[in-house]
Amino acid sequence: MTDSASRLAGPVRVVGAGLLGASVGLGLRARGVDVLLADASPAHLRLAADYGAGRPDDGAVEPALIVVAVPPDLVSRVVAEELAAHPAAVVTDVASVKGQPLAELVESGVDLSRYVGSHPLAGRERGGPSAARADLFIGRPWVVAARPENARASVNLVEALILDLGATPVEMAADDHDAAVALVSHTPQIVSSLMAKRLAASTDAALGLAGQGVRDVTRIAGSEPELWVQILGANAPAIVSILRAYRDDLDRVLAALDDVDATGARRTLAEEIAGGNLGVSRLPGKHGQDKRFSSLVVMVDDRPGELARLLAELGELDVNLEDLRLEHSPGAAFGLAEIAVLPEVWQRTVDDLTDRGWRIAG
């Protein structure tokens, strides 16, 4: 029985029971929506069902909506198969590239009036149904690549799915989407992986000095190579354009570092770093705002309950926590909690925490 809070009446068929597909299923089942699961791997299907992401589709009922969550190189084929097999259903997919699957579908001559491509900007470093989470999409943007031939009712059904899962629908053309994710997702994956590759041949002594900077840069470098080969290949032109500009920036930095005493070398380095300041300042922060916050670093003893005590005392001090990052200090019995607060409460927060016995780094 469908939860009264759900916008979807169901049933919803999910094809592909990996991380995204199983997470869609878990999120919809939490709202009482009937979810029908299908996967080429019987083991994946059984595991996703055991986790509560839905029930194996036995064909007894027809779905109103179909979510295709298969690897990028299979999307166009599976979408075409689902459109043919379920002539009354709206079909969407969650692939991270929209242009190539759409072009393949158009070339095949399939009637695409019931196909509305989409892409949730959400994921994890691990894959498979065991990594799925019902809250994976909460607060995340979810692109809807609607086209003129789509009936508004079809688009509304996909947006209902997105809203039921707690995400925010963002309508965007397929080409615009691919250019955007090349910049904010695909190129960062390459940069992160190449930087992490430098660590493989490093000494243990050097790695023992690693702080939050290198961890931030390489956080996504543990991603699955096979999946990313497909993603990068499907969006190659947009990624290449960004990487060439990035290469030009690196060439300028290399030239400056080759002779730091040359006229203009230090200015070049300063301008490249300042360009990064400008770029990062444009990233939306909390609630999608561009507002900047001030940070303080609190030394937290490595004992059970200490971090919880810090957060509780911030609440008692009426300080709203805008962001939080944790870093462990190698060889030390404490960690560092970097807390972001509004600039106008920064000094009061430092003073009040110090009065309560907390040590503020720096």
Side-chain angles (χ1 to χ4, degrees), residues 12 14 17-18 21-37 43-56 129-135 165:
V12 174
V14 177
S23 293
V24 168
L26 287 170
L28 293 179
R29 288 300 304 132
R31 287 182 171 270
V33 178
D34 186 17
V35 176
L36 312 173
L37 297 174
H44 262 198
L45 181 61
R46 287 193 297 268
L47 185 57
D50 284 349
Y51 271 102
R55 58 189 176 92
S130 61
R133 289 171 41 171
D135 62 354
L165 293 172

Side-chain angles (χ1 to χ4, degrees), residues 244-267:
R244 282 182 174 145
Y246 184 64
R247 181 185 61 190
D248 292 342
D249 292 338
L250 280 177
D251 284 342
R252 283 190 291 274
V253 170
L254 285 170
L257 291 175
D258 276 340
D259 187 359
V260 293
D261 292 324
T263 302
R266 285 178 168 80
R267 176 176 176 176

Side-chain angles (χ1 to χ4, degrees), residues 263-331:
T263 302
R266 285 178 168 80
R267 176 176 176 176
T268 295
L269 296 174
E271 288 177 347
E272 293 298 330
I273 298 297
N277 294 163
L278 177 61
V280 79
S281 72
R282 296 200 58 209
L283 286 174
K286 187 179 178 184
H287 307 311
Q289 300 174 358
D290 289 333
K291 182 180 292 185
R292 298 294 102 192
F293 304 118
S294 296
S295 295
L296 62 146
V297 178
V298 183
M299 301 169 68
V300 181
D301 289 336
D302 189 11
R303 297 198 305 265
E306 283 297 281
L307 180 60
R309 182 169 71 88
L310 172 62
L311 299 180
E313 293 194 12
L314 286 169
E316 293 170 6
L317 295 170
D318 197 28
V319 174
N320 193 44
L321 186 66
E322 306 294 343
D323 201 358
L324 171 67
R325 294 199 311 171
L326 297 176
E327 180 179 354
H328 293 286
S329 299

Side-chain angles (χ1 to χ4, degrees), residues 148-348:
E149 61 264 38
N150 294 138
R152 190 65 230 179
S154 297
V155 178
N156 288 345
L157 194 61
V158 174
E159 291 185 346
L161 163 76
I162 295 168
L163 292 169
D164 273 356
L165 293 172
T168 302
V170 179
E171 290 202 18
M172 185 178 286
D175 289 345
D176 292 340
H177 163 273
D178 289 356
V181 294
L183 176 64
V184 302
S185 176
H186 301 166
T187 302
Q189 176 64 55
I190 295 173
V191 172
S192 179
S193 295
L194 292 180
M195 181 61 228
K197 183 181 176 183
R198 300 298 98 211
L199 305 177
S202 179
T203 65
D204 290 343
L207 295 177
L209 303 178
Q212 198 59 39
V214 71
R215 296 178 194 278
D216 286 347
V217 171
T218 60
R219 184 184 63 81
I220 58 174
S223 300
E224 182 183 348
E226 293 80 6
L227 173 63
W228 273 98
V229 166
Q230 293 186 39
I231 293 172
L232 298 176
N235 204 22
I239 298 167
V240 165
S241 176
I242 298 167
L243 283 175
R244 282 182 174 145
Y246 184 64
R247 181 185 61 190
D248 292 342
D249 292 338
L250 280 177
D251 284 342
R252 283 190 291 274
V253 170
L254 285 170
L257 291 175
D258 276 340
D259 187 359
V260 293
D261 292 324
T263 302
R266 285 178 168 80
R267 176 176 176 176
T268 295
L269 296 174
E271 288 177 347
E272 293 298 330
I273 298 297
N277 294 163
L278 177 61
V280 79
S281 72
R282 296 200 58 209
L283 286 174
K286 187 179 178 184
H287 307 311
Q289 300 174 358
D290 289 333
K291 182 180 292 185
R292 298 294 102 192
F293 304 118
S294 296
S295 295
L296 62 146
V297 178
V298 183
M299 301 169 68
V300 181
D301 289 336
D302 189 11
R303 297 198 305 265
E306 283 297 281
L307 180 60
R309 182 169 71 88
L310 172 62
L311 299 180
E313 293 194 12
L314 286 169
E316 293 170 6
L317 295 170
D318 197 28
V319 174
N320 193 44
L321 186 66
E322 306 294 343
D323 201 358
L324 171 67
R325 294 199 311 171
L326 297 176
E327 180 179 354
H328 293 286
S329 299
F334 62 85
L336 302 174
E338 183 179 350
I339 298 168
V341 298
L342 293 174
E344 55 265 32
V345 303
W346 182 87
Q347 189 61 56
R348 175 172 68 83

